[in-house]
Amino acid sequence: MKHFFKRHKAHHKSLLLLAGPMILSNITVPMLGLVDTAVIGHLGSAHYLAGIALGSAVISLLFWLAGFLRMSTTGLVAQAYGKHDHTLLAELLKRSLLLATAVALILIALSIPIQSLMAYLSNANEAVLEQANSYFSIRIFSAPAALCNLVLLGWMLGVHYGRGPFYLLLITNITNIVLDIYFVVFLDWGVAGAAWASLIADYIALGFALMLVTQLAKKQGVNLAVKAWLSVAKLLDLVSLNRDIFIRSLALQLCFSFMTFYGARIGETTLAANAVLLNFLMLVSFALDGIAYASEAKVGKAKGEHSSQHIQLWVKLSLFWGGLFALFYSLIFLLFGEAIIRLLTDVPEVISLATVYLPWVILLPIAAMGCFLFDGVFVGLTRAKDMRNTMLFSAVVGFFGLFWLVSSWQNHGLWFAMTSFMLMRGLTLWFRYRRIVNNQQLLE
């Protein structure tokens, strides 16, 4: 290990310099949720908090599913960056922004049916739904900004500007927090105030991101006024790539949703305990997502340079650091897991039950490490079909299939299925990667 580190010291440093700002960006995200909860939680009634929780959960799901816009942009831009194709860099930015705007307008057009579905699936009471609809009906109009920000973030990451996404998320979250406090606490706008704060923050962030990208493009010698970017054939190729990543994301969300809803069927204490323990996975994602994002950019650039040797090097480096972080997390959860649970909740029965299932969470970072990092590798290679197929196989066999076999284990069965699912995602992507390498298809 020591020899491996010394031999590639410059590459290790390069990867971490790109991953570092992304890790810091990920850490800032929960701050916003904490502030939302704090300001709404002091309005004097539980239905305000329940309403914003429901409305923001639906918005978060929609915007999270649109994450394919960032992934595809990063992979394609990184490859163009590796080729030093400045014209393609400009074309990809414009096409991806056009697609993001189109998806955002579709979401706005479907807002009323989505609200009806939200009411049907949640079965919430009238007071909660009123607040949820108030939040959703305002926040949905931030979709054009939020989705375009995903593209701009992906473009900056693709050209290896790791600080850009960090600045972007910092501006978004700070603006949102300040406006949250002003609208809700001082102006007494309630849940609508929290929605307006998020909407305004998204558009301010969009203006900031456009300024960053314009300056970065000028610095890189990219002419954003390039013509002939609106090619129907190339737009369809972009839609096809994004479609496969979307299906992959939908299958992933389905597994997590099943865990939540089945946990609720077992009992409210189980549901609460699982919600607490899933926060551990969020902590893991801070570091592993940062390494994965860096891997997307590095692998994509290496493919653009037609260097299979560099692709394999970046994969090894990503796995090296991902493995270290995974072991670190497992050790922290082993030593301080119960203390972390007590920080997240003070309900005795939830603490007791969450502690019973803690061993699964201790195993999870090691089991999940491969899927986080190989997702980044395959995004960089723009092999979305492989991501889609391995995800569907892992969901059907590794999650639902295994849970069907051990469903009598109840919540232990759920955690066994989730751990197996994460492990199988990494293994199937690894097997697929080895086959691509052996068949000399890395540059295809």
Side-chain angles (χ1 to χ4, degrees):
M1 183 183 290
K2 188 176 180 181
H3 174 70
F4 176 66
F5 186 81
K6 281 187 173 181
R7 185 181 173 190
H8 301 291
K9 187 175 180 180
H11 292 95
H12 283 283
K13 184 178 179 181
S14 178
L15 182 77
L16 293 176
L17 283 174
L18 189 55
M22 299 307 302
I23 294 171
L24 291 173
S25 300
N26 291 336
I27 292 172
T28 67
V29 173
M31 291 168 52
L32 181 57
L34 289 173
V35 172
D36 270 345
T37 302
V39 295
I40 298 298
H42 287 85
L43 290 180
S45 179
H47 69 264
Y48 291 113
L49 192 56
I52 195 172
L54 178 59
S56 63
V58 175
I59 287 289
S60 296
L61 174 62
L62 294 175
F63 291 177
W64 183 85
L65 287 174
F68 59 81
L69 294 162
R70 187 208 62 77
M71 293 185 194
S72 62
T73 302
T74 300
L76 291 170
V77 167
Q79 290 177 23
Y81 184 65
K83 295 174 185 174
H84 303 287
D85 191 335
H86 291 175
T87 300
L88 183 55
L89 285 172
E91 290 179 351
L92 286 170
L93 177 62
K94 289 189 172 184
R95 286 191 202 111
S96 297
L97 285 173
L98 177 63
L99 179 60
T101 303
V103 173
L105 292 177
I106 290 171
L107 289 178
I108 291 172
L110 293 175
S111 59
I112 293 177
I114 292 172
Q115 285 177 275
S116 299
L117 186 62
M118 175 175 70
Y120 174 76
L121 292 176
S122 68
N123 197 29
N125 62 48
E126 189 174 337
V128 171
L129 277 178
E130 181 182 356
Q131 299 303 321
N133 287 328
S134 173
Y135 183 91
F136 181 90
S137 61
I138 295 168
R139 185 74 197 282
I140 192 64
F141 286 96
S142 71
L147 270 54
C148 285
N149 281 336
L150 288 174
V151 168
L152 295 167
L153 187 151
W155 196 91
M156 287 187 281
L157 188 56
V159 296
H160 290 53
Y161 185 53
R163 287 177 296 169
F166 172 66
Y167 296 148
L168 177 59
L169 284 173
L170 203 61
I171 288 291
T172 306
N173 291 336
I174 290 175
T175 304
N176 204 336
I177 288 169
V178 171
L179 291 178
D180 239 353
I181 295 170
Y182 180 65
F183 290 158
V184 178
V185 177
F186 289 97
L187 297 186
D188 197 24
W189 286 4
V191 167
W196 278 111
S198 296
L199 182 145
I200 293 170
D202 280 336
Y203 280 99
I204 288 175
L206 176 61
F208 179 74
L210 287 170
M211 180 190 72
L212 274 181
V213 167
T214 302
Q215 291 178 349
L216 187 58
K218 187 177 180 180
K219 187 178 178 180
Q220 297 279 353
V222 177
N223 180 13
L224 295 180
V226 65
K227 298 179 180 178
W229 59 275
L230 191 57
S231 164
V232 175
K234 290 180 179 178
L235 267 173
L236 290 176
D237 286 342
L238 183 61
V239 169
S240 176
L241 175 65
N242 281 282
R243 177 201 62 207
D244 291 330
I245 300 177
F246 170 75
I247 293 171
R248 168 254 176 212
S249 300
L250 193 60
L252 177 62
Q253 187 60 41
L254 186 62
C255 293
F256 277 100
S257 297
F258 180 85
M259 189 166 184
T260 298
F261 286 113
Y262 199 90
R265 287 182 60 184
I266 297 172
E268 64 178 27
T269 306
T270 299
L271 175 63
N274 286 351
V276 168
L277 292 175
L278 283 172
N279 280 289
F280 284 66
L281 186 58
M282 180 184 69
L283 293 173
V284 172
S285 72
F286 289 163
L288 294 188
D289 264 344
I291 300 295
Y293 290 164
S295 181
E296 292 173 20
K298 294 295 186 182
V299 168
K301 183 173 183 286
K303 183 176 180 179
E305 294 169 338
H306 297 284
S307 174
S308 59
Q309 183 180 357
H310 278 126
I311 291 175
Q312 293 178 70
L313 173 61
W314 289 120
V315 172
K316 289 177 183 177
L317 291 172
S318 299
L319 289 173
F320 172 80
W321 284 104
L324 284 182
F325 275 116
L327 288 170
F328 171 76
Y329 274 117
S330 289
L331 182 61
I332 291 296
F333 295 164
L334 176 65
L335 296 175
F336 305 108
E338 289 190 40
I340 296 172
I341 290 171
R342 292 179 184 278
L343 280 175
L344 294 171
T345 180
D346 58 0
V347 181
E349 56 267 31
V350 175
I351 292 172
S352 177
L353 194 60
T355 304
V356 171
Y357 302 112
L358 182 61
W360 291 111
V361 177
I362 295 170
L363 289 174
L364 204 55
I366 297 170
M369 185 268 291
C371 69
F372 275 99
L373 300 181
F374 274 107
D375 267 351
V377 171
F378 277 76
V379 166
L381 295 173
T382 55
R383 285 185 166 269
K385 287 183 180 178
D386 289 325
M387 294 175 68
R388 178 199 66 193
N389 294 342
T390 54
M391 176 65 79
L392 290 174
F393 178 82
S394 299
V396 172
V397 177
F399 186 82
F400 290 106
L402 285 179
F403 179 71
W404 179 73
L405 291 175
V406 300
S407 57
S408 61
W409 297 2
Q410 292 290 300
N411 203 45
H412 277 297
L414 272 180
W415 280 103
F416 171 73
M418 178 56 68
T419 305
S420 302
F421 168 60
M422 291 294 198
L423 181 62
M424 189 173 290
R425 282 175 58 203
L427 288 175
T428 51
L429 285 169
W430 180 77
F431 280 123
R432 182 62 187 141
Y433 170 76
R434 293 309 310 165
R435 188 171 182 180
I436 292 168
V437 172
N438 292 336
N439 293 338
Q440 298 183 336
Q441 296 174 320
L442 274 176
L443 303 178
E444 292 181 5

